[in-house]
Every structure is written in structure tokens, then in C-alpha cells.
Amino acid sequence: GEDVEQSLFLSVREGDSSVINCTYTDSSSTYLYWYKQEPGAGLQLLTYIFSNMDMKQDQRLTVLLNKKDKHLSLRIADTQTGDSAIYFCAEGGNMLTFGGGTRLMVKP
Amino acid sequence: DGGITQSPKYLFRKEGQNVTLSCEQNLNHDAMYWYRQDPGQGLRLIYYSQIVNDFQKGDIAEGYSVSREKKESFPLTVTSAQKNPTAFYLCASSINGGPNEQFFGPGTRLTVL
């Protein structure tokens, strides 16, 4: 079955860049997604990338996709304390498979 | 405003009782989903529905039931058969076709006493 893996934790200083990594196994996924979850809340879709793209940039967010290695990353430029949250990558079609989430802590 | 709502925010239940969690959306989305999230873990799919009057089991459907009588509503019942029901429950919806951009509700935290 599909499997999506993420590292559990990332700590950065305010103003630095954050890079959150994800690996997946289902090579047939058409889209891959990044979601953000703040404490006690639902998930918020940040961005998604079509599987035939290598990169997508949206303001401070850059998504890189290495389809050969089945590796997805999310780079947050100029990380702010408000970016502290859990970030989930997900892949799939009608049903999504989510990774376990990476908790990003931003230190002032 | 368009959105997806869940109620209640917090729910307490005694062991052996069934409880129903509400999920409503006014986004005109065809598909709706229920996920369970345990502390420090990702989301696991309980049930999903791609169209009214139809729903499918997800990865962890045992001890849960759903109905989809209206497009806007997808209630989840946690039955007494669910062995470890204490968790954070998230409902989501999406349009069918294209990127599966799922919009999530704020969640319901269920605690079994």
C-alpha cells in the first residue's frame, strides 16, 4: 500500500529558511500536497504540485518534487514564529494518504 | 461565508455509549471524508463518501458508521464497538475530479470517560 514518511521535528530560528522533507511510495499520484495544522485546529491546504512539475513557488513557499526519488520538500523562506505548526504532506487521487506530520518550531 | 463546520468542539462520552459527530459543508462539494488523528500521529481515514447515498470504508472503519442522506451533511457515529475512541476527529470535503483539495473542519475532540 501507499506510505508517506516525514521526519518528526524541525527547529529553526526566526528569519532562517525551513525545509521539510517527505518521501512517498505511490508513483501513480497525480498531485502531492502540503497541509498546515495549528494546535487544536483542522488542516489548512498550503499548496499542491502536479506530478509532472519539478518546482512550484508561491510567495514564501517553494515546493520541490523529485519524482525519480519520490521525494517532496517544502521550503519556507524567512520563517516566522507564526509558521510554527505541524506540516503534513499527502499524496493520492480520490483518497489522500497523509504522512505523520513534521512539527516545526520557530525560535525568536 | 462558505465553509465546513463540525460540532461539538469537545465531546465527552461514557464507555458503552454511542455518540454522533456532526459535519456540515456549504461549499457544494460532492465528496466528504472522516479522519481520526491520535496524538503525535498523522491522519487515518475512517470513511469517505463521493456522492449522496454512497459511502466507502477507509482504513479504520471498524466501530464507526456514517450516513450521507444530504450533500451538505456527513455525520459520523462512534459506536460502543470502537475500542479506543478517544481521539481528534476531522471532517473534510472536496470536489470530485482534478486536484483533491480537501477542506477541513475545525475538528471534534472526543474523550471517553
Side-chain angles (χ1 to χ4, degrees), chain B residues 81-96:
Chain B
Q82 169 49 235
K83 299 301 179 196
N84 296 298
T86 295
F88 190 50
Y89 290 88
L90 288 160
C91 179
S93 68
S94 69
I95 59 171
N96 280 329

Side-chain angles (χ1 to χ4, degrees), chain A residues 37-102:
Chain A
Q37 185 181 33
E38 298 189 4
L43 275 67
Q44 172 195 357
L45 178 67
L46 287 177
T47 187
Y48 63 88
I49 187 167
F50 190 46
S51 59
N52 69 352
M53 297 170 64
D54 298 324
M55 185 181 87
K56 180 179 180 182
Q57 186 155 3
D58 184 1
Q59 298 182 338
R60 292 192 296 123
L61 304 179
T62 303
V63 179
L64 294 178
L65 175 59
N66 182 328
K67 203 171 179 184
K68 174 176 168 288
D69 293 339
K70 296 178 187 170
H71 183 267
L72 182 72
S73 68
L74 174 70
R75 178 177 180 270
I76 305 172
D78 187 26
T79 312
Q80 303 296 307
T81 54
D83 295 323
S84 294
I86 302 175
Y87 291 81
F88 292 92
C89 66
E91 55 88 15
N94 290 335
M95 285 192 296
L96 297 185
T97 299
F98 287 84
T102 298

Side-chain angles (χ1 to χ4, degrees), chain B residues 58-79:
Chain B
D59 300 319
I60 55 165
E62 187 175 347
Y64 300 98
S65 66
V66 292
S67 62
R68 187 85 189 278
E69 296 175 3
K70 296 188 298 181
K71 189 175 186 179
E72 303 79 21
S73 179
F74 191 40
L76 172 75
T77 297
V78 184
T79 76

